[in-house]
Amino acid sequence: MANILIVDDSPTEIHVMTSMLEKHGFSVATANSGEEGVERAKSDKPDLILMDVVMPGMNGKELAEIITEQD
């Protein structure tokens, strides 16, 4: 089953998405900020990243650009 990384600053959103995905058999890792998302993406090499676009600090667009540049 696919490994999914969720990057969101909302604990409620992370909980809802994690519960739903794990219920369907996916392996889920989470990050609470864009900066943490970069580190998790490097270490976990997820198959899919679901991220919030609007976050304090590094937003989802910036995170996507950094992850894309690393590949």
Side-chain angles (χ1 to χ4, degrees):
M1 200 45 85
N3 295 314
I4 300 174
L5 172 61
I6 299 171
V7 184
D8 199 313
D9 61 320
S10 167
T12 303
E13 294 296 327
I14 287 177
H15 174 73
V16 169
M17 288 189 284
T18 299
S19 297
M20 180 178 53
L21 291 166
E22 287 178 341
K23 177 181 173 183
H24 291 284
F26 293 98
S27 174
V28 179
T30 64
N32 298 313
S33 68
E35 294 81 6
E36 185 181 352
V38 170
E39 295 306 314
R40 293 300 300 256
K42 283 183 193 177
S43 64
D44 296 0
K45 304 285 188 210
D47 299 305
L48 175 69
I49 301 173
L50 300 174
M51 69 181 92
D52 188 358
V53 175
V54 180
M55 294 184 286
M58 183 185 304
N59 65 39
K61 183 177 184 284
E62 294 167 330
L63 173 59
E65 290 171 355
I66 290 170
I67 291 171
T68 301
E69 290 171 0
Q70 292 178 353
D71 288 337

